[in-house]
Amino acid sequence: MKRTMDIVVGTLLFLIFLMPLVIAASIFFILYHENPVYLSKRAGKNGQAFFIFKLKSMRTLLDSKGELLEDSKRLTAYGRVLRKLSIDELPQLINVIFGSMSLVGPRPLLIEYNELYTSEQKKRLLVKPGITGLAQINGRNAISWELKFQFDNDYVKKQTLRLDIEIILLTVVKVFKQENIAQANHETTMKFRGGRREA
């Protein structure tokens, strides 16, 4: 039933948001003359690598060494709007339709984090990652990595179709309220540096 809901609801949402996505991508291109869509390599179910689709909220600005500037210097005013409305995440509906993601599940994180999780935190990889999840309706980016992973593991243990529907509905409320978009005193989410050491 979960996969059926992903296909049906994911396809419906993609069709509904296709034109707004095209408009949002076109505005970014007009403003910054850059490809508005990018692929980001993430860890999927069982830690397998895949690429998610996103709309850019940051410009591709390099320093004198040819390396990307820090996020706060690349994040655009227009990008902040995209993030507040979660429009930058909508292209991931393509991932949902083709099966690398689900509508609901732990957020897909950078592949390099696989080696940093504790054995308990790694349980979040037992299910497909999602566009939204328990962590997103319980603090999103305003809570610590440890608390996010606790919510992720709670979802792995308790997942039901009813829970998925509740999370989707609460996500809509959170998006309208524009809550917990970034960590305190940071423009974007700080990188995960590793879980607590295990005895």
Side-chain angles (χ1 to χ4, degrees):
M1 287 298 294
K2 182 177 176 69
R3 179 60 186 147
T4 300
M5 185 176 77
D6 283 343
I7 294 173
V8 174
V9 178
T11 301
L12 180 61
L13 290 175
F14 181 75
L15 293 175
I16 290 172
F17 288 110
L18 180 57
M19 188 53 64
L21 278 171
V22 171
I23 293 171
S26 299
I27 292 173
F28 188 94
F29 178 77
I30 292 169
L31 289 175
Y32 308 111
H33 306 289
E34 292 186 18
N35 182 356
V37 179
Y38 80 103
L39 298 177
S40 180
K41 192 175 184 180
R42 301 297 174 96
K45 185 176 180 180
N46 299 320
Q48 295 298 308
F50 75 105
F51 288 92
I52 62 170
F53 294 87
K54 295 192 74 172
L55 283 185
K56 280 185 179 178
S57 59
M58 294 185 283
R59 299 191 64 187
T60 307
L61 300 176
L62 307 177
D63 61 20
S64 58
K65 298 179 182 178
E67 297 179 354
L68 286 173
L69 294 175
E70 60 188 75
D71 290 354
S72 60
K73 294 181 179 179
R74 296 189 298 117
L75 182 62
T76 65
Y78 179 62
R80 289 189 182 93
V81 175
L82 294 180
R83 286 179 175 231
K84 281 184 179 180
L85 299 175
S86 297
I87 294 173
D88 59 319
E89 306 288 358
L90 288 176
Q92 289 160 48
L93 289 167
I94 297 172
N95 294 105
V96 172
I97 294 167
F98 286 99
S100 55
M101 286 180 64
S102 178
L103 289 170
V104 181
R107 285 294 296 152
L109 301 179
L110 297 174
I111 197 78
E112 64 216 50
Y113 291 177
N114 286 1
E115 304 303 319
L116 301 178
Y117 299 132
T118 64
S119 58
E120 185 65 21
Q121 291 169 348
K122 194 168 287 189
K123 291 178 181 178
R124 68 187 305 279
L125 299 174
L126 293 175
V127 298
K128 285 183 183 179
I131 294 179
T132 186
L134 273 181
Q136 282 60 55
I137 62 170
N138 286 286
R140 196 176 174 183
N141 291 327
I143 59 177
S144 68
W145 281 111
E146 287 75 18
L147 190 52
K148 285 181 186 179
F149 297 152
Q150 286 180 31
F151 281 122
D152 289 343
N153 285 350
D154 284 345
Y155 175 78
V156 172
K157 296 173 185 175
K158 301 175 182 177
Q159 58 177 317
T160 62
L161 192 60
R162 178 177 177 177
L163 179 59
D164 281 9
I165 293 171
E166 290 176 355
I167 290 172
I168 290 170
L169 294 176
L170 286 171
T171 298
V172 174
V173 174
K174 292 287 184 180
V175 169
F176 275 107
K177 289 185 176 180
Q178 299 180 14
E179 295 178 336
N180 309 131
I181 296 163
Q183 290 180 326
N185 303 316
H186 292 277
E187 291 279 11
T188 58
T189 303
M190 294 180 65
K191 277 197 170 185
F192 177 56
R193 301 298 181 185
R196 295 174 180 172
R197 291 191 177 183
E198 298 173 298

